[in-house]
Amino acid sequence: MRISELSTRSGVAIPTIKYYLREGLLRQGEQTAATRAEYDDSHLRRLRLVRALLEVGKLPVASIKKIIDAVDDESLPMHEMLGTAHYALGPTVEPEPGEEWQAARAQVDALIEEQGWHIHPEAPTRDELAQTLVRMRQLGVRIDLRPYVEAARKLVAEVEMRTIPFDGPRDAAVEALVLGSVLYGKAFDALRRMAQEAESAHRLG
Amino acid sequence: MRISELSTRSGVAIPTIKYYLREGLLRQGEQTAATRAEYDDSHLRRLRLVRALLEVGKLPVASIKKIIDAVDDESLPMHEMLGTAHYALGPTVEPEPGEEWQAARAQVDALIEEQGWHIHPEAPTRDELAQTLVRMRQLGVRIDLRPYVEAARKLVAEVEMRTIPFDGPRDAAVEALVLGSVLYGKAFDALRRMAQEAESAHRLG
């Protein structure tokens, strides 16, 4: 298909497609004449992925480029490619100096060990959870993490990961991971606040 | 106590305290001389609440003022006061024209009805969840909300709402609601991403 059809079918404006081509987010089409290139379904799938990362994942273009490079590097195992996308979705947390941080981080590492979870030693989620635990302690909020661990484990294994086509094209798997991770998170957040309102109504009148 | 001690004990700098006094976020102290005012524990508690709303809830000053006004209006029932804080914590979602939105919103309303949840007809969480459902449908993500509803209901009723001192001072209840709502949300988000990595490792290697 020509760029005009690619634009119509993907819903992405032509100047935006040209921008993605310049930034290397989209592979060049096959040049069939001096001013004419042909695109195929792989371009369409790639545009869907870029839009998902931009609009749903709210990722900056530089992060998207890294993910695209991982998708295109066929020598990279699927699990590591998904990890690249996955790590980019979370906030960046800087470890803080001091014993309080060390203790929280040790608690996180122990929890992961206890669950038998295979999580990279450098995974950013370790520091992310440590930071939340430090803030809670500083603010006097006590938390029993176990019910949260159990709920996360169950929802991820029984619902979210089932939507990921591990055996299809790499683009499609990354797209499903991003959409699922972000959208299920938003849905759960709204539901939690609904449950809070309902429980407050129940307890207070 | 004098303003210097209030600053030391709250960890809030004197110029910031003066700013809060000007903006009406903190009640004036009792004037004991032309350039001297006395503060008490209620000021300390209020400073804790303002910091929680600012630093943990990331709310703008105008929203914080509304919440403070609700806390100070003793004629307002507890449940409505908590609702004011609670609604301010979520994102603002504008309903979209069209049938797709109507259908998603009807699905949300039916879900609330089915759960027997008492949720205000104008609660912003209704539109928030509707928006996520519309995005999912547009992006081809299918979701079964039931396991999420069940997890939210359980975590809120059995863990989160138990930390809120409904029978103490109004400041303390709002503070606990904000801290709990935001921090438990962050912890769960990190745990979900950990479970995703672990499940991906499990399935792919």
Side-chain angles (χ1 to χ4, degrees):
Chain A
M1 72 190 94
R2 312 247 322 247
I3 195 167
S4 52
E5 189 185 341
L6 184 64
S7 169
T8 312
R9 286 183 58 188
S10 64
V12 178
I14 293 180
T16 309
I17 294 181
K18 290 189 173 165
Y19 169 69
Y20 293 166
L21 287 165
R22 281 197 306 278
E23 292 293 320
L25 298 181
L26 187 65
R27 223 168 13 84
Q28 300 292 334
E30 199 190 335
Q31 210 71 28
T32 54
T35 59
R36 196 164 155 171
E38 274 292 315
Y39 300 89
D40 59 26
D41 281 352
S42 74
H43 292 93
L44 208 51
R45 207 164 50 228
R46 178 58 49 93
L47 279 177
R48 268 186 66 107
L49 173 60
V50 172
R51 284 190 68 185
L53 293 166
L54 265 176
E55 293 169 18
V56 181
K58 310 271 183 212
L59 297 183
V61 169
S63 307
I64 296 179
K65 184 70 172 66
K66 266 189 225 161
I67 296 170
I68 295 292
D69 288 344
V71 174
D72 286 341
D73 179 0
E74 300 270 354
S75 72
L76 204 64
M78 185 81 148
H79 176 60
E80 282 168 44
M81 177 200 70
L82 289 174
T84 304
H86 201 215
Y87 287 177
L89 288 174
T92 310
V93 164
E94 286 299 320
E96 292 161 20
E99 277 178 30
E100 206 172 14
W101 181 276
Q102 301 273 333
R105 182 51 209 266
Q107 191 189 336
V108 171
D109 293 343
L111 168 87
I112 290 170
E113 182 84 15
E114 194 186 297
Q115 289 293 313
W117 279 347
H118 284 94
I119 293 189
H120 198 281
E122 309 271 311
T125 39
R126 291 177 186 258
D127 283 337
E128 201 186 322
L129 184 57
Q131 189 189 53
T132 306
L133 293 180
V134 167
R135 291 288 164 280
M136 285 179 164
R137 222 161 283 170
Q138 287 167 344
L139 292 159
V141 179
R142 282 151 161 275
I143 183 175
D144 175 8
L145 279 183
R146 278 166 305 178
Y148 290 83
V149 173
E150 192 42 40
R153 201 197 52 67
K154 219 175 143 203
L155 291 174
V156 165
E158 295 175 12
V159 187
E160 297 180 30
M161 296 305 272
R162 295 204 173 168
T163 65
I164 297 183
F166 287 110
D167 48 1
R170 294 159 68 91
D171 290 58
V174 176
E175 187 192 305
L177 181 86
V178 173
L179 295 181
S181 191
V182 175
L183 293 174
Y184 285 103
K186 275 190 200 291
F188 187 72
D189 218 52
L191 285 168
R192 247 182 84 237
R193 265 174 295 114
M194 282 181 183
Q196 284 166 358
E197 177 171 349
E199 185 69 15
S200 164
H202 175 68
R203 295 201 182 206
L204 291 171
Chain B
M1 70 189 95
R2 312 244 324 244
I3 196 167
S4 52
E5 190 185 341
L6 182 65
S7 169
T8 311
R9 287 182 59 188
S10 64
V12 178
I14 292 179
T16 309
I17 294 179
K18 287 188 174 166
Y19 168 68
Y20 292 166
L21 287 166
R22 279 198 306 278
E23 292 293 321
L25 299 181
L26 186 67
R27 221 169 13 84
Q28 299 292 333
E30 198 188 336
Q31 211 70 28
T32 54
T35 59
R36 197 166 156 168
E38 274 290 317
Y39 299 90
D40 59 27
D41 281 351
S42 74
H43 292 92
L44 209 51
R45 207 163 51 227
R46 177 58 49 94
L47 278 177
R48 267 186 68 107
L49 173 60
V50 171
R51 284 191 67 185
L53 294 166
L54 265 176
E55 293 169 18
V56 180
K58 310 272 183 211
L59 296 184
V61 168
S63 306
I64 297 180
K65 183 70 170 66
K66 267 191 223 159
I67 296 170
I68 296 292
D69 288 344
V71 173
D72 286 340
D73 179 0
E74 300 270 353
S75 72
L76 204 64
M78 186 81 147
H79 176 60
E80 283 169 43
M81 177 199 70
L82 289 175
T84 304
H86 202 215
Y87 288 176
L89 287 174
T92 310
V93 165
E94 288 298 322
E96 291 161 20
E99 276 178 30
E100 206 172 15
W101 181 276
Q102 301 272 332
R105 183 50 210 265
Q107 191 189 337
V108 171
D109 293 342
L111 168 86
I112 290 170
E113 181 84 14
E114 193 185 298
Q115 289 293 314
W117 279 348
H118 285 94
I119 292 189
H120 198 281
E122 309 271 313
T125 40
R126 291 178 186 257
D127 283 337
E128 202 185 322
L129 185 57
Q131 190 189 52
T132 306
L133 294 180
V134 167
R135 290 289 163 281
M136 286 179 164
R137 221 160 286 170
Q138 286 167 344
L139 291 158
V141 179
R142 281 151 161 276
I143 182 173
D144 176 8
L145 279 183
R146 278 165 306 175
Y148 291 82
V149 172
E150 191 43 39
R153 200 197 50 68
K154 219 175 143 204
L155 291 173
V156 165
E158 293 174 14
V159 186
E160 297 180 30
M161 295 306 273
R162 294 206 173 166
T163 64
I164 297 182
F166 288 110
D167 48 1
R170 294 160 68 92
D171 289 57
V174 176
E175 187 192 305
L177 180 86
V178 173
L179 295 180
S181 190
V182 176
L183 294 173
Y184 285 102
K186 275 189 199 292
F188 187 72
D189 219 52
L191 286 168
R192 247 181 84 238
R193 264 175 295 116
M194 284 182 181
Q196 284 166 357
E197 178 172 348
E199 184 69 15
S200 164
H202 176 67
R203 295 199 181 207
L204 292 171

